[in-house]
Amino acid sequence: MLAFVALTSSAFAASPAASPNVLPAESRGVTQAPLPQPINWDKVTQEATDLLSKYIQMNTTNPPGNEIAAARMLKEKFLTDGIPATTWEPQHGRGIVAARLRGIGKHNKSIILLSHMDVVPANPKEWEQPPFSGTVKDGKIWGRGAIDDKGPGVIELMAMLAIKRAGILLNRDVLFVATGDEEEGGKNGAGWFVDHESNVFSDAGFLLNEGGGIRALTDNKRKAYVVSITEKTPLWLKLTASGPAGHASDPPAETAVTRLVRALNKLSEYKTPIHVIGPVQDYYHSMAELDHGPRQQLDLAAALKDPEYQNKFLSDPSQNARVRDTITPTVLSASQKTNVISETAYAEIDCRLLPGSDPKTVMSDIRKAIGDDTVKIDVILNFPPISSPSRSALMTAIDSLGRMRDQASVVPSLVIGFTDSHYFRQKKIVSYGFIPIEVLPAEGKGVHGINEHIGVKELADGIQRMVQLLKIFGGQ
Ligand SMILES: [Zn+2]
């Protein structure tokens, strides 16, 4: 590693603490002629493995997040290689880090490689390896965040370091951005960054984030590059029912709790309409064609008109979620004591809307379904649904990578969850969910589950593909 540092120390090794404006594009420095060096992939893989292990050991469980230490570690990693990097602390202990690998194409829009540093909680009792150990064993790196989303962050970071060290000059800048708070909606992460520091990425036109990846087709030989171009949006609601408070030995006919239970019951009986949006129709069509899937999926919208097929299709929860808005009660609360009747009872409802669904219409449908005006409905979280175009220079580059590296086709898709991409789509940045790794089914189960891990080989392949993708997109 020392040899690499010596090779690449350059005019860009400025201290961002001393000059906080090193990141914006305007401060572009003098470009030197490249001295292309071969990339030592074994070394890159070892370094990436060590970095991911260390990164996992930094407990960034959200809440509370505490991402700032991880942000500083990633910043140091960039600075050591002479790539300018800066951290922000939007709230005490929270963290964001960004770094800019400069290219030579002054007129080309830069690309953001986005990831998040925070992770969801993990209960050590349920895990084979302690979730914050970063254990490297049997060719796998174990721990919370290995796939969601520290592994992808390491792939993006190491790809930038590999390009810098090899002296490859791209014709556009590459920006690394790792945020906090994604798992809680991103208000203190990407949301804050987009609102307060948009000058850092004012030259960006493209973005890659979590939300898609490489999938093996059922013949286990061919692969598909699944690229998400849009997401469902959350409409989180709080339902509050009221009634007389009192002692449960002397109960009135109707209480806040009985009212709330009736409302929830009506809501669970209410079925949202089925709607096959363009990207979902296209996704099933492409997968059916590529993977010799059921012929009905060649035209899903038409097939779903058949009640028998519809029942079968909707019985899979993730398929159900792709073709309709979902309404899911998750939080319930009323009295804390068995013999006390509470004046209020409330429930939180996690609604997920397809792009194109109007939140106002959905709320009025919910009101109608409940049929009780005394139950108050408040919005906790909502943001506008925005999609990215399925054709762009970045999609063409992903398609080229797929064909060259894996004989794979690109399949655009919809993410049924939501990621930080919407914050950047709102800024008109073409944002795709695509990390070039093949997440195996067993690994996929670890995301927000137990025993999350990533293969060292998958990590290494991910970095190599990311370097290749940036070279294609950067005109090399
Ligand atoms: Zn994630």
Side-chain angles (χ1 to χ4, degrees):
M1 187 173 147
L2 275 176
F4 279 115
V5 174
L7 268 177
T8 56
S9 65
S10 75
F12 298 137
S15 158
S19 62
N21 291 325
V22 292
L23 280 178
E26 307 84 68
S27 63
R28 191 181 302 279
V30 179
T31 309
Q32 291 172 355
L35 291 169
Q37 303 285 323
I39 295 172
N40 182 336
W41 289 115
D42 288 343
K43 261 191 171 170
V44 168
T45 303
Q46 187 58 52
E47 199 179 331
T49 305
D50 294 345
L51 178 65
L52 180 55
S53 171
K54 205 172 146 196
Y55 193 5
I56 289 169
Q57 289 168 46
M58 304 180 112
N59 189 336
T60 51
T61 302
N62 186 12
N66 277 338
E67 305 94 350
I68 190 66
R72 289 185 183 132
M73 177 187 74
L74 299 180
K75 178 180 92 170
E76 286 309 316
K77 194 83 191 140
F78 281 112
L79 292 183
T80 306
D81 270 62
I83 296 176
T86 308
T87 56
W88 293 265
E89 194 172 355
Q91 298 257 317
H92 181 69
R94 308 311 299 263
I96 297 172
V97 55
R100 181 183 286 269
L101 175 67
R102 295 212 164 89
I104 48 175
K106 286 196 169 68
H107 305 294
N108 291 332
K109 296 264 186 200
S110 63
I111 177 169
I112 299 172
L113 305 181
L114 182 68
S115 63
H116 62 88
M117 295 178 282
D118 61 314
V119 296
V120 292
N123 178 0
K125 286 188 194 130
E126 299 171 340
W127 286 56
E128 269 173 52
Q129 305 291 337
F132 298 100
S133 64
T135 304
V136 182
K137 202 180 150 198
D138 304 329
K140 295 176 181 119
I141 306 155
W142 295 77
R144 177 57 86 222
I147 293 180
D148 182 17
D149 191 28
K150 291 178 173 176
V154 166
I155 287 170
E156 294 168 349
L157 179 150
M158 289 305 302
M160 288 168 69
L161 294 197
I163 287 171
K164 176 76 162 59
R165 290 170 185 175
I168 298 164
L169 288 178
L170 304 176
N171 68 12
R172 61 176 90 232
D173 288 10
V174 181
L175 268 154
F176 174 94
V177 178
T179 61
D181 203 35
E182 192 273 346
E183 299 290 1
E184 292 277 298
K187 225 177 93 205
N188 289 311
W192 182 91
F193 190 62
V194 164
D195 284 347
H196 293 85
E197 297 292 341
S198 58
N199 63 314
V200 172
F201 59 90
S202 55
D203 61 320
F206 304 91
L207 178 144
L208 283 178
N209 186 22
E210 61 180 341
I214 301 168
R215 218 176 105 179
L217 299 173
T218 43
D219 65 7
N220 251 328
K221 288 186 200 121
R222 292 169 312 133
K223 299 180 201 303
Y225 275 32
V226 179
V227 181
S228 83
I229 57 170
T230 188
E231 302 178 346
K232 287 181 93 173
T233 49
L235 172 64
W236 291 0
L237 303 175
K238 183 175 175 178
L239 264 52
T240 309
S242 311
H247 195 279
S249 63
D250 181 19
E254 180 105 289
T255 68
V257 169
T258 59
R259 227 170 230 153
L260 181 70
V261 167
R262 198 172 50 230
L264 291 176
N265 195 31
K266 292 244 175 86
L267 211 48
S268 71
E269 282 163 8
Y270 169 63
K271 299 279 173 264
T272 54
I274 289 170
H275 181 48
V276 184
I277 61 165
V280 171
Q281 175 86 350
D282 293 349
Y283 170 81
Y284 279 102
H285 179 88
S286 302
M287 289 308 283
E289 248 184 6
L290 279 172
D291 211 10
H292 311 296
R295 68 182 161 71
Q296 290 98 328
Q297 294 187 2
L298 288 169
D299 187 350
L300 185 65
L304 285 177
K305 291 192 175 114
D306 168 23
E308 202 183 318
Y309 181 74
Q310 189 191 91
N311 276 342
K312 203 175 130 210
F313 184 87
L314 298 181
S315 65
D316 176 328
S318 69
Q319 295 192 153
N320 178 61
R322 280 192 194 109
V323 295
R324 67 187 337 166
D325 301 334
T326 55
I327 300 173
T328 315
T330 47
V331 176
L332 282 175
S333 182
S335 174
Q336 300 303 310
K337 287 188 82 120
T338 310
N339 60 359
V340 173
I341 297 171
S342 165
E343 212 176 345
T344 56
Y346 76 86
E348 287 177 18
I349 317 283
D350 184 343
C351 305
R352 302 293 175 113
L353 311 190
L354 288 167
S357 289
D358 175 16
K360 283 201 185 100
T361 312
V362 173
M363 276 182 69
S364 101
D365 290 346
I366 285 176
R367 253 191 208 105
K368 257 187 246 156
I370 291 174
D372 180 351
D373 290 341
T374 67
V375 176
K376 215 167 118 240
I377 305 178
D378 295 301
V379 176
I380 310 170
L381 176 75
N382 182 230
F383 44 74
I386 305 174
S387 306
S388 288
S390 59
R391 282 162 202 254
S392 70
L394 180 55
M395 191 65 93
T396 306
I398 296 171
D399 184 59
S400 302
L401 174 74
R403 281 187 285 111
M404 279 162 56
R405 167 110 193 180
D406 294 298
Q407 290 86 50
S409 302
V410 159
V411 180
S413 78
L414 157 100
V415 173
I416 53 175
F418 63 91
T419 70
D420 278 341
S421 291
H422 69 93
Y423 289 113
F424 295 89
R425 286 193 178 123
Q426 279 169 43
K427 294 280 175 188
K428 301 200 167 33
I429 294 173
V430 174
S431 305
Y432 294 142
F434 180 71
I435 301 298
I437 47 171
E438 186 180 341
V439 174
L440 307 171
E443 295 170 350
K445 286 198 184 100
V447 174
H448 291 210
I450 57 167
N451 298 325
E452 187 174 349
H453 65 274
I454 187 169
V456 171
K457 187 179 179 312
E458 272 80 59
L459 189 73
D461 286 349
I463 300 165
Q464 293 193 20
R465 287 195 193 92
M466 187 61 91
V467 167
Q468 216 175 336
L469 177 62
L470 292 173
K471 281 166 76 177
I472 296 167
F473 192 52
Q476 291 285 314

